[in-house]
Amino acid sequence: MTYSSLTDTIILSPNGYFPRQDSIRKVTIHHMAGVMTAEECGRIFQNPARQASSNYGIGNDGSIGCYIVEENASWCSSSYWNDNQAITI
């Protein structure tokens, strides 16, 4: 399992591509409306009905969460092609 050493919390989501189907070439930033901690965001991404995730998230308190480890791709940008090439935040 590969994730940043800056990560404060790990809350793995079932919503992703397992394993990633391409090499990492970019970073995709996606805004998630809401004021929440990294842990609260992780709990949202744990719900399969949400059909959403990211590799990392940054909480309103500055905490960093990992939801999809880097060997796998998230469901972040609504693009299979992009998500399989990106670390998503």
Side-chain angles (χ1 to χ4, degrees), residues 5-60:
S5 61
L6 300 173
T7 301
D8 297 306
T9 187
I10 300 170
I11 301 173
L12 298 179
S13 170
N15 303 326
Y17 303 107
F18 305 96
R20 179 182 295 279
Q21 297 299 304
D22 207 339
S23 58
I24 297 169
R25 296 185 177 100
K26 59 175 118 180
V27 172
T28 297
I29 307 295
H30 182 87
H31 178 265
M32 185 172 166
V35 178
M36 63 189 83
T37 66
E39 286 188 14
E40 291 168 327
C41 181
R43 286 195 293 275
I44 289 170
F45 287 158
Q46 281 186 316
N47 182 351
R50 295 291 294 207
Q51 297 185 354
S53 64
S54 64
N55 293 105
Y56 297 99
I58 302 170
N60 67 322

